[in-house]
Amino acid sequence: MQERLQTLKEEALSQIEKASSMKEVQDIRVAYLGKKGPITEISKGMGKLSAEERPKMGQLVNEIRTAISDQLEAKVNGLEKAAVEERLKKETIDISLPGRPIKRGNHHPLTRVIEEIEDLFLGMGFSIAEGPEVETDYYNFEALNLPKDHPARDMQDSFYITEETLLRTHTSPMQARTMEKLNGEGPVKIIVPGKVYRRDTDDATHSHQFMQIEGLMVGENVRMSDLKGVLQSFAKKMFGDEREIRLRPSFFPFTEPSVEMDISCFICSGNGCSVCKGTGWIEILGGGMVHPNVLRMSGFDPEKVTGFAFGMGPERIAMLKYGIDDIRHFYTNDSRFIKQFNTL
Amino acid sequence: MLVSMNWLQQYVDLDSYSADELADLITKGGIEVETVEQLNKGISGVVIGHVLSCEQHPDADKLNICRVDIGEEEPVQIICGAANIAAGQYVAVAKVGAVLPGNFKIKKAKLRGEASHGMICSLQELGIESKLVHKEYADGIFVFSDDVTPGEDALHYLNLNDEILELGLTPNRADAMNMIGVAYEVGAVLNRSIELPSPELVRSEENAQDYVSVQIENEDDNPYYGATVIKNVTIASSPQWLINRLVSAGIRPINNVVDITNYVLLEYGQPLHAFDYDRFGSKEVVIRRAAEGEKIVTLDDTERTLSSDHLVITNGSKPVAVAGVMGGADSEVQQNTTTILLEAAYFDSKLVRKASKDLGLRSDSSARFEKGIDRNRVIGASERAAQLIQEIAGGTVLKGTAEQGDRTVEGKEVSIEVTRINQVLGTEISETEVAAIFERLQFSYQNFGGTFTVQVPPRRPDITISEDLIEEVGRLYGYDNVPATLPITESTPGQLSDYQKKRRRVRRALEGAGLYQTVTYSLTSPSKRVFFSNETTDAIRLAMPMSEERSELRTSLLPHLLEVAQYNKNRQLENLAFYETASVFLPEGELPKEQEHLAGVVSGLWQEHLWQKEKKPVDFFVVKGILEELAVEFGVEDRLTFARADEPKLHPGRTAAVHLDDELIGYIGQLHPEVEKELDLSETYVFEINLEALLKADVDHLKYKKLPRFPSVTRDVALVVNESLEAGQVKRVIEEAGGAKLVEINLFDVYQGEHLEEGKKSLAFSLRYYNPEQTLTEEEVKKAHDRVLTAVEEQFGAALRS
Ligand SMILES: [Zn+2]
């Protein structure tokens, strides 16, 4: 009987081994472990055995049952897994095919630069003031210490609408407009981005319309060294941590002293190249300490407060930063140009 | 201002500084050196030659065979084609092996069979601009007028080893528009002393006052006028040194007397004018305003019409010069002039500016008067010119000056405390350092306990207030030495205004939807100023536009946005999606009302995925969807409505007016096919709205709505209605009839065609019912739904589609 059981077991295991479908596995289960199967038969015939042999044989029968059913289980798992693998194989796709594009536009490069600068100054506690593009002669010139007939008005040949109104030549009029509202009570910390206009013929480096960002800080104890500090953090954030700045004396009617700010050339790191015209320095912006006449006219007492102001051109900054060669690109809006500004 | 290093060296010791080093120091000191130019543009091997003989070439009419002594053992033979070549001349010879500008190498040559060992040069061939070449040599070779030695370096004689600094002067630094002013500045920057000319004159016994009188009608217009008389003058070419100076400063040499006035203009910054005394027309100089319509023929042989805004020099009866701008042709110095009336005056800068602007005449003289000259240098300049005329043109200077007005003025006093300087600059400059800086500037001062009272010399009219002195100290102390600090004033929170935040959201929303931002011009042509029929007819027009194309301020953004579309389409970029936010300008009071608009243009394919063969062209609902999305973004989705509208430039069947509450805020639609054709665009959809109205709309703060706790019930219904009926109307009726429990209506199908009666269409809606209090009963849903069905039947005769 023992031998018969061993033979059955080997037969069963070998059949399971060979089975290749669920159906076969099921048939084997019925054939060997079913109610009419040989093992059940043997179990039934165990009554004939002696009391001594019966438990021994019973254990053997159970062992063989377990062995067969474990093997059946394993086979089922194996077959199921193979079936899944087969299906997944059929579902394979060509992952090299192009993905579905996500439709997305982007900022104009000038907006990109302006928002970057805005965020930088917001972080330093400045707020953003905006003003009219058509201005009075008073705010555009006179309140900025440029009385009528001032020779420096030639520096900014302008588009007049009437004798007293014109397209603003800079965003500086917001200096006076903002200060006037405060009745001499500081501090003032603003930047003023916006469109400005000058009588220039459009070419690769000139545009009759362009952007400007003016900055103004007025309060007790505002020093030129603060202007230098603020501009230094601006330059480093905008053009890289390795940038050095230098201030050069200059002239603007609305600041005294006046300066121009250069940054160390980021193309050649100061060794001299065509961008910096061999000097190692690139002119970025103008500024200075607010002229006492400007403070006085806007209701601030120059004996009590001081201030600094600066003005920069986003076009110039964008042109330098991205290596753009023609200012007209900003206003032509070729989509191949604008679409380039969609990445970090 | 062009500054010759060789000339400057006359006043300041520049030893040990190269032109580039000096340029850098001057720039850091506050006057920007824009360029440093080498006059020697790579020239070598050019020497002085003596033309020993000169004969015509046997085989060429226009060529001469010259034997030239170039300081070598034997003279060389050179073939020369210049018409003005002659034996006996001293000329510039480029020897064999010489290099001329543009890396032009001189080699041995044969010209019509005759050997040529070098080239006799014109000034242009040596790199001098044609406009600076004296007329005499303009079309030929240059001939030295002085005693020179063959074989010596010709460049030295022509000052071609000089270097020129070009100063970019800001309007406040007119004091550096002359060599003496530059010498003061460079002296201060280098901390070196300077040496200025001190003219010494031998005057004759005759009195100038016997020859001429001066009368100024109004000393406000002309605070000082002086006339010097110089007799026995011989007009001729200037000596080479004088020519070299003028050429280095960019002025063309003419004759000795004119060249001297120009030289002194450059040296002192004082414009002078030399009249031919014998052709002056009288013995009196009267300075007055011109009469309205009075005429003068100026030196450039142009008749000018004057007005009472212009100051003129007259001979008592008629104008002989426009003060400070240009002399008259009648009294011009000519070849046969022997007696000179030399004017040295101080005119009001505004009058000179006005005349120069009105007459369109800008001269070296007017440029200086306009910006203000040094009043105290008028006499010195006049004497310097008289001395040079005496030396060079052999003149006899008469005793005295016919004059009116004060010769000099007092300098202004300005005070500044050292503590204030440091407070403004954020520095710690000592009293001693401040004193040293004023000394470098040659400003005299008194110092009482740290308060400096400075006597500002009249050559620096830009210094009038204490801040100007802070700048002087700061710039010479060096801004490199100013520390970089952070402001110590009270801190302020930096943040965007609500409007600015919303504007940024608009940009992100539109770009998220696939539109690219553009920036276009505000100025436009009258025809592109407007787009919609309701726009104002009053244009805001520039007083003096540069062109008609940029003459008016726009009241609509679309025309320029369509230009952008057209530009891209012309470059085979077919799928377009652009937007712009910008102000339009509406007439109102003194200043226009500036209203921020948002406009967009889309054309071509909206969605495209090539290999999956997906191509979705743009249609009306793309632009409508964009606006609806914006409305959601800004919390006004229930208040933004669209109504069918007619606009001449838009498609009559595909246009809607956009309303926010009851206010018309813009339009959306397809471009009228005729406009599309005109612009060569394919089917194109546009929108433009008043962005301010949208962003300034009062909305409730965002508030959380409870999540549904009970199931909702959805019923679909397909209604057959007349094809002209708008789905929106049906939706509104359903909404009203459905009551509070009808919470969502979605149109999911629009069908027309087979199985439907002609002229009818089917609209299928999905209606969702919900009760926030408890689970809906079948009864409740039925009641509400029946109301809907009754309402649409009554209002539109809508039948349920089976
Ligand atoms: Zn560089």
Side-chain angles (χ1 to χ4, degrees):
Chain A
M1 198 183 276
Q2 241 172 339
E3 278 147 41
R4 169 127 172 82
L5 276 170
Q6 282 303 341
T7 315
L8 274 172
K9 179 184 169 190
E10 275 156 30
E11 260 178 45
L13 293 184
S14 125
Q15 280 189 34
I16 292 169
E17 177 75 44
K18 284 183 209 140
S20 64
S21 74
M22 286 300 216
K23 170 96 175 51
E24 281 175 65
V25 175
Q26 196 51 37
D27 290 348
I28 295 165
R29 185 189 301 275
V30 172
Y32 287 90
L33 303 179
K35 282 177 186 148
K36 288 174 185 164
I39 293 172
T40 313
E41 289 291 309
I42 289 171
S43 306
K44 282 177 183 165
M46 275 201 307
K48 293 170 194 159
L49 292 177
S50 67
E52 213 174 281
E53 271 180 315
R54 212 179 297 151
K56 248 172 95 189
M57 198 53 73
Q59 204 190 336
L60 186 64
V61 166
N62 275 340
E63 272 171 26
I64 285 169
R65 251 183 201 285
T66 310
I68 292 172
S69 79
D70 283 356
Q71 203 57 35
L72 279 167
E73 181 115 344
K75 189 68 192 187
V76 166
N77 285 343
L79 284 174
E80 274 174 354
K81 207 174 160 203
V84 169
E85 272 166 13
E86 183 63 21
R87 180 162 59 84
L88 294 187
K89 212 173 163 188
K90 281 187 188 148
E91 286 173 5
T92 299
I93 54 168
D94 177 356
I95 53 91
S96 72
L97 286 169
R100 166 173 295 268
I102 291 175
K103 202 167 171 59
R104 189 173 63 96
N106 57 257
H107 280 8
H108 188 278
L110 289 175
T111 306
R112 178 188 167 109
V113 166
I114 290 169
E115 282 194 3
E116 197 175 341
I117 296 170
E118 283 177 353
D119 291 344
L120 220 144
F121 281 96
L122 285 168
M124 290 194 265
F126 286 72
S127 51
I128 296 167
E130 293 172 87
E133 292 171 40
V134 180
E135 261 298 359
T136 59
D137 186 88
Y138 176 78
Y139 284 114
N140 194 74
F141 289 127
E142 283 174 58
L144 292 164
N145 201 31
L146 272 151
K148 293 209 159 93
D149 284 333
H150 193 290
R153 281 199 183 197
D154 284 352
M155 287 163 83
Q156 307 189 347
D157 210 354
S158 29
F159 289 117
Y160 274 89
I161 292 168
T162 65
E163 243 172 61
E164 291 302 324
T165 61
L166 72 158
L167 300 189
R168 64 179 174 189
T169 56
H170 42 202
T171 58
S172 321
M174 278 309 282
Q175 283 195 16
R177 282 183 179 272
T178 306
M179 283 194 281
E180 267 180 7
K181 281 193 197 141
L182 296 169
N183 297 316
E185 292 289 322
V188 184
K189 274 176 99 172
I190 53 165
I191 62 162
V192 193
K195 291 176 183 148
V196 300
Y197 306 84
R198 288 187 198 169
R199 255 190 121 69
D200 270 322
T201 304
D202 298 337
D203 62 22
T205 53
H206 297 86
S207 181
H208 76 276
Q209 174 182 321
F210 56 101
M211 299 286 186
Q212 201 191 28
I213 299 179
E214 171 91 5
L216 174 73
M217 174 165 184
V218 175
E220 284 171 27
N221 244 321
V222 176
R223 304 157 297 178
M224 189 188 251
S225 56
D226 299 333
L227 172 63
K228 196 170 175 180
V230 165
L231 293 182
Q232 187 169 291
S233 35
F234 159 76
K236 285 180 185 293
K237 283 189 185 142
M238 211 60 200
F239 293 101
D241 257 343
E242 322 75 56
R243 296 283 75 71
E244 296 299 323
I245 68 161
R246 75 169 184 189
L247 299 183
R248 270 186 297 111
S250 187
F251 169 76
F252 306 103
F254 25 92
T255 47
E256 186 69 34
S258 302
V259 294
E260 263 167 300
M261 183 191 89
D262 299 336
I263 60 167
S264 55
C265 182
F266 48 83
I267 308 282
C268 64
S269 303
N271 298 323
C273 68
S274 65
V275 172
C276 59
K277 297 188 189 104
T279 63
W281 295 95
I282 301 174
E283 190 180 316
I284 294 289
L285 57 80
M289 302 304 290
V290 181
H291 196 287
N293 290 352
V294 174
L295 291 172
R296 214 172 285 125
M297 277 186 279
S298 302
F300 278 71
D301 182 355
E303 301 291 315
K304 290 187 185 142
V305 296
T306 45
F308 65 68
F310 56 85
M312 62 179 106
E315 278 89 348
R316 174 162 176 75
I317 290 170
M319 287 171 89
L320 286 169
K321 208 174 147 120
Y322 306 121
I324 298 164
D325 55 354
D326 191 324
I327 197 171
R328 286 169 296 198
H329 284 318
F330 294 115
Y331 295 95
T332 310
N333 299 291
D334 188 312
S335 63
R336 295 163 298 186
F337 173 74
I338 296 174
K339 284 179 182 178
Q340 290 181 36
F341 299 92
N342 65 346
T343 58
L344 260 183
Chain B
M1 173 77 188
L2 300 173
V3 176
S4 144
M5 288 285 284
N6 284 348
W7 190 352
L8 184 60
Q9 177 75 38
Q10 245 176 259
Y11 315 109
V12 203
D13 179 10
L14 302 177
D15 209 23
S16 77
Y17 289 104
S18 72
D20 285 329
E21 285 165 351
L22 187 64
D24 196 43
L25 288 171
I26 295 175
T27 298
K28 278 189 173 174
I31 292 178
E32 192 180 352
V33 178
E34 291 176 342
T35 56
V36 177
E37 192 201 357
Q38 316 286 329
L39 289 190
N40 179 346
K41 298 178 174 67
I43 307 173
S44 67
V46 180
V47 298
I48 290 168
H50 186 205
V51 183
L52 302 175
S53 67
C54 180
E55 282 151 25
Q56 202 193 309
H57 192 295
D59 298 326
D61 282 356
K62 289 184 177 164
L63 294 181
N64 292 294
I65 303 172
C66 306
R67 274 164 32 81
V68 185
D69 173 8
I70 56 167
E72 289 173 0
E73 274 177 35
E74 288 292 318
V76 292
Q77 174 169 308
I78 298 175
I79 311 299
C80 178
N84 65 334
I85 181 94
Q89 287 171 336
Y90 286 91
V91 295
V93 176
K95 298 196 289 186
V96 171
V99 182
L100 295 183
N103 201 23
F104 174 51
K105 295 191 177 103
I106 303 299
K107 294 173 194 146
K108 263 186 231 173
K110 252 193 181 163
L111 289 153
R112 298 271 174 115
E114 289 289 340
S116 185
H117 296 266
M119 180 174 122
I120 300 176
C121 302
S122 69
L123 291 177
Q124 290 92 327
E125 281 158 345
L126 295 173
I128 296 177
E129 282 181 83
S130 297
K131 64 171 188 182
L132 298 179
V133 174
H134 190 289
K135 273 189 208 149
E136 202 181 333
Y137 311 118
D139 302 316
I141 52 151
F142 173 71
V143 180
F144 288 96
S145 54
D146 290 1
D147 252 358
V148 287
T149 314
E152 286 190 351
D153 181 10
L155 300 188
H156 172 73
Y157 284 89
L158 292 168
N159 194 45
L160 289 177
N161 45 20
D162 201 355
E163 287 164 295
I164 309 295
L165 310 183
E166 185 178 4
L167 308 185
L169 293 176
T170 49
N172 61 324
R173 292 306 305 273
D175 63 291
M177 279 178 85
N178 58 76
M179 293 305 291
I180 290 177
V182 173
Y184 273 112
E185 177 72 11
V186 172
V189 166
L190 301 182
N191 195 10
R192 287 189 176 177
S193 62
I194 63 171
E195 201 178 315
L196 300 180
S198 49
E200 274 166 31
L201 267 176
V202 186
R203 292 185 186 258
S204 81
E205 285 306 305
E206 276 189 290
N207 259 317
Q209 285 93 335
D210 295 338
Y211 279 74
V212 69
S213 67
V214 167
Q215 192 204 332
I216 299 171
E217 278 196 359
N218 181 348
E219 284 194 24
D220 288 337
D221 291 349
N222 179 192
Y224 176 81
Y225 192 100
T228 303
V229 179
I230 307 165
K231 291 171 71 178
N232 308 325
V233 168
T234 308
I235 303 297
S237 288
S238 295
Q240 193 60 42
W241 71 264
L242 180 53
I243 290 172
N244 288 345
R245 291 288 179 252
L246 295 185
V247 169
S248 73
I251 291 182
R252 181 182 198 156
I254 304 207
N255 63 46
N256 49 10
V257 169
V258 174
D259 291 353
I260 287 165
T261 58
N262 281 331
Y263 176 81
V264 176
L265 169 91
L266 292 169
E267 188 176 42
Y268 281 70
Q270 171 66 46
L272 300 168
H273 187 69
F275 294 101
D276 182 335
Y277 177 82
D278 297 317
R279 291 162 58 234
F280 193 75
S282 81
K283 291 177 81 172
E284 56 172 351
V285 181
V286 178
I287 301 97
R288 60 163 169 83
R289 294 291 185 103
E292 287 298 332
E294 201 169 359
K295 291 191 165 59
I296 181 174
V297 177
T298 43
L299 279 178
D300 52 0
D301 291 322
T302 310
E303 189 181 75
R304 313 274 175 177
T305 306
L306 306 168
S307 81
S308 61
D309 288 339
H310 307 141
L311 190 67
V312 286
I313 318 301
T314 70
N315 58 13
S317 48
K318 63 186 184 89
V320 292
V322 181
V325 180
M326 197 177 263
D330 290 350
S331 53
E332 184 184 3
V333 169
Q334 295 183 348
Q335 203 55 41
N336 58 4
T337 299
T338 55
T339 304
I340 302 279
L341 192 165
L342 182 67
E343 163 195 296
Y346 186 94
F347 300 116
D348 176 68
S349 60
K350 282 175 187 156
L351 281 173
V352 175
R353 189 166 128 95
K354 177 82 177 127
S356 156
K357 211 173 162 189
D358 290 353
L359 303 179
L361 264 178
R362 277 186 63 85
S363 58
D364 287 305
S365 158
S366 71
R368 283 171 176 79
F369 274 123
E370 277 176 30
K371 300 203 161 94
I373 58 169
D374 182 357
R375 175 77 179 273
N376 289 7
R377 227 181 263 166
V378 182
I379 299 300
S382 167
E383 289 180 349
R384 174 70 162 156
Q387 175 220 354
L388 289 171
I389 292 173
Q390 194 168 54
E391 273 175 31
I392 292 167
T396 309
V397 183
L398 304 200
K399 200 165 66 181
T401 306
E403 62 186 346
Q404 186 180 335
D406 293 328
R407 287 183 161 201
T408 55
V409 288
E410 286 287 299
K412 211 177 157 173
E413 265 186 13
V414 182
S415 297
I416 184 72
E417 295 132 40
V418 175
T419 48
R420 175 75 176 166
I421 296 176
N422 286 319
Q423 189 201 339
V424 171
L425 297 179
T427 48
E428 288 170 10
I429 308 174
S430 71
E431 237 176 274
T432 331
E433 286 173 294
V434 171
I437 286 169
F438 288 143
E439 276 156 31
R440 280 160 70 180
L441 288 162
Q442 304 202 27
F443 291 175
S444 48
Y445 63 85
Q446 285 156 312
N447 175 11
F448 290 111
T451 300
F452 282 80
T453 303
V454 175
Q455 219 72 41
V456 180
R459 66 182 156 86
R460 290 296 306 275
D462 58 312
I463 298 174
T464 58
I465 57 173
S466 54
E467 281 73 12
D468 297 325
L469 290 177
I470 298 178
E471 177 161 68
E472 291 302 298
V473 172
R475 72 185 183 94
L476 289 173
Y477 175 71
Y479 290 146
D480 286 351
N481 299 321
V482 172
T485 58
L486 286 177
I488 47 176
T489 50
E490 58 190 285
S491 75
T492 43
Q495 57 182 358
L496 295 171
S497 69
D498 276 354
Y499 187 88
Q500 289 161 349
K501 275 182 211 156
K502 285 181 179 176
R503 181 166 46 206
R504 285 194 177 188
R505 283 188 79 124
V506 169
R507 289 180 189 146
R508 276 159 189 74
L510 291 166
E511 287 158 20
L515 273 62
Y516 291 87
Q517 192 194 14
T518 61
V519 179
T520 65
Y521 296 134
S522 306
L523 284 171
T524 189
S525 63
S527 66
K528 286 184 176 164
R529 180 177 65 81
V530 295
F531 187 84
F532 299 103
S533 57
N534 64 343
E535 288 177 64
T536 175
T537 51
D538 294 340
I540 299 172
R541 200 178 155 81
L542 297 181
M544 283 193 299
M546 290 174 78
S547 68
E548 201 54 19
E549 206 192 345
R550 304 274 170 251
S551 60
E552 295 185 1
L553 283 168
R554 58 179 169 177
T555 54
S556 170
L557 305 183
L558 271 178
H560 281 176
L561 214 47
L562 289 170
E563 263 184 12
V564 171
Q566 197 183 5
Y567 172 94
N568 282 282
K569 174 84 193 302
N570 289 344
R571 279 154 190 81
Q572 289 90 46
L573 304 161
E574 312 261 339
N575 303 330
L576 310 171
F578 295 112
Y579 81 95
E580 178 171 21
T581 58
S583 285
V584 299
F585 302 83
L586 312 169
E588 184 190 76
E590 190 191 19
L591 293 179
K593 178 176 178 186
E594 296 182 20
Q595 191 176 70
E596 188 164 19
H597 275 206
L598 161 67
V601 50
V602 286
S603 186
L605 295 177
W606 184 242
Q607 292 288 358
E608 186 180 25
H609 197 210
L610 294 172
W611 67 270
Q612 293 188 322
K613 316 231 169 5
E614 188 180 292
K615 280 187 176 184
K616 163 101 182 67
V618 164
D619 62 18
F620 179 87
F621 303 101
V622 164
V623 275
K624 188 178 180 192
I626 290 169
L627 285 191
E628 284 172 335
E629 195 52 43
L630 272 185
V632 171
E633 184 99 22
F634 296 104
V636 295
E637 68 269 36
D638 299 333
R639 293 157 59 188
L640 196 75
T641 52
F642 299 85
R644 184 171 291 285
D646 273 327
E647 270 299 319
K649 288 182 183 162
L650 297 179
H651 190 301
R654 296 180 176 181
T655 297
V658 185
H659 291 87
L660 180 64
D661 303 325
D662 295 331
E663 189 192 348
L664 172 68
I665 63 161
Y667 293 94
I668 64 171
Q670 186 191 334
L671 271 191
H672 197 289
E674 275 170 22
V675 179
E676 283 170 355
K677 203 173 141 196
E678 201 180 301
L679 299 175
D680 195 24
L681 289 170
S682 51
E683 199 169 304
T684 299
Y685 291 84
V686 298
F687 62 90
E688 174 154 357
I689 61 162
N690 172 359
L691 187 62
E692 280 183 41
L694 181 66
L695 300 194
K696 287 178 178 166
D698 272 329
V699 287
D700 294 333
H701 281 293
L702 173 67
K703 234 178 165 183
Y704 156 79
K705 287 185 204 78
K706 281 197 178 124
L707 297 181
R709 290 163 62 208
F710 308 104
S712 59
V713 176
T714 302
R715 289 266 188 282
D716 290 350
V717 54
L719 301 168
V720 177
V721 296
N722 287 334
E723 64 179 356
S724 62
L725 184 63
E726 287 181 1
Q729 265 178 285
V730 180
K731 188 184 167 187
R732 268 193 299 281
V733 168
I734 295 175
E735 203 170 357
E736 273 165 37
K741 296 196 177 73
L742 175 57
V743 292
E744 202 177 321
I745 308 167
N746 280 312
L747 177 71
F748 69 89
D749 188 38
V750 180
Y751 176 79
Q752 221 171 342
E754 224 181 317
H755 308 302
L756 273 185
E757 205 181 310
E758 180 80 6
K760 295 279 184 187
K761 66 181 173 188
S762 154
L763 301 171
F765 292 92
S766 168
L767 311 184
R768 196 162 65 82
Y769 296 94
Y770 177 69
N771 182 349
E773 309 297 330
Q774 59 186 71
T775 306
L776 276 173
T777 60
E778 187 55 41
E779 192 70 7
E780 281 176 300
V781 176
K782 191 174 182 314
K783 242 168 99 182
H785 200 65
D786 284 349
R787 278 203 309 273
V788 168
L789 297 181
T790 317
V792 292
E793 220 233 298
E794 279 175 2
Q795 300 241 10
F796 311 118
L800 278 180
R801 188 174 168 215
S802 44

